Amino acid sequence: MTDEAGEGRRVAVLISGRGSNMTALADAVAEGRVPGARIVLVLSDKPQAAGLAAAKERGIETAVVERRGRSREEHEREMISELHARQVELICLAGYMRLLSPCFVEEFRGRVLNIHPSLLPAFPGLDAQRQAVEHGARVSGCTVHFVDETLDGGPIVTQRTVPVLDTDTPDTLAARILFEEHRAYPEALALVCSGAYEIVGRRVVKSSKQ
Ligand code: GRF
């Protein structure tokens, strides 16, 4: 599926920090592994986010919209106007460390993806890798899902698994999961950009629909 200029869906990536999933997406798009996508904006709520420099190095436009003591809705309204100003069609949350309010979700319903470092619905919320180690899970992984009003609870697009080793700490498990995150997110974005799926209840079902 492509836009009027034939160059792909206009994607924004929202970050707050390191941005390794953002660079994985950007590099996959640049290498032609995500047909039908182009990243038109990397938007951060933190001016010091390391991912901003990585985006600029790749020639991607960046913007920062800080919260600055405003209400969540006021902050998000400014973000929404930055996104609309670039005609953004799809949004990838990639280490964006704030919960989105229902007004943001409603504005982009079915068009916001998130990546989470566990096999949802296990271990939602913060510190998912530590939760997995402390719970004694033998398998963990990552999940790319659509964002709805629930915490890490929207329809699942893709998951990838990793073993949890007896010797794992939260950090060693996080590194193993991150490796898979960098594969899962481009795969999920490619599916969503292809339009070849339907959301049936909670399920994302592959279809031939374009
Ligand atoms: C990743 O583990 C992602 O799953 C979680 O936050 C982390 C962001 O890392 N939502 P990065 O900024 O993409 O490197």
Side-chain angles (χ1 to χ4, degrees), residues 15-23 51 93-97 114-118 129 142-143 152 174 177-178 181-182 185:
I15 65 169
S16 296
R18 179 176 59 180
S20 73
N21 278 289
M22 180 277 296
T23 57
L93 307 183
Y96 181 72
M97 296 306 289
N114 181 44
I115 187 156
H116 183 77
S118 75
Q129 302 95 332
C142 61
T143 303
D152 298 326
I177 293 173
L178 192 65
E181 292 185 42
H182 296 165
Y185 220 163

Side-chain angles (χ1 to χ4, degrees), residues 10-162:
R10 298 175 66 84
V11 177
V13 185
L14 267 55
I15 65 169
S16 296
R18 179 176 59 180
S20 73
N21 278 289
M22 180 277 296
T23 57
L25 285 169
D27 293 346
V29 168
E31 289 161 15
R33 289 186 281 122
V34 193
R38 59 174 160 154
I39 298 177
V40 297
L41 180 66
V42 170
L43 178 57
S44 174
D45 62 325
K46 302 265 185 245
Q48 70 275 20
L52 289 169
K56 285 181 194 145
E57 276 166 24
R58 287 163 173 77
I60 301 170
E61 186 185 0
T62 62
V64 176
V65 178
E66 288 182 86
R67 172 92 177 249
R68 290 194 313 266
R70 293 176 287 178
S71 72
R72 190 154 60 133
E73 280 75 10
E74 281 171 323
H75 178 224
E76 288 180 4
R77 265 196 289 277
E78 187 183 343
M79 294 192 358
I80 289 168
S81 77
E82 294 287 339
L83 294 163
H84 284 324
R86 278 95 174 171
Q87 293 94 44
V88 166
E89 300 170 86
L90 279 172
I91 296 163
C92 293
L93 307 183
Y96 181 72
M97 296 306 289
R98 289 181 191 279
L99 275 181
L100 292 172
S101 69
C103 89
F104 191 102
V105 173
E106 189 54 46
E107 188 75 26
F108 293 101
R109 172 139 343 251
R111 296 189 290 139
V112 185
L113 294 171
N114 181 44
I115 187 156
H116 183 77
S118 75
L119 295 176
L120 290 170
F123 313 129
L126 289 176
D127 236 349
Q129 302 95 332
R130 177 176 300 280
Q131 292 185 55
V133 170
E134 289 180 355
H135 192 85
R138 306 309 315 197
V139 177
S140 191
C142 61
T143 303
V144 182
H145 63 93
F146 285 104
V147 171
D148 63 12
E149 283 82 359
T150 61
L151 173 65
D152 298 326
I156 292 170
V157 182
T158 197
Q159 294 185 303
R160 291 177 77 97
T161 59
V162 304

Side-chain angles (χ1 to χ4, degrees), residues 1 110 146 154-158 188 190-210:
M1 191 181 286
F146 285 104
I156 292 170
V157 182
T158 197
L191 174 69
V192 171
C193 286
S194 77
Y197 67 93
E198 284 174 73
I199 300 179
V200 182
R202 287 202 39 81
R203 301 178 67 213
V204 177
V205 180
K206 288 185 189 165
S207 72
S208 54
K209 195 177 83 178
Q210 297 291 311

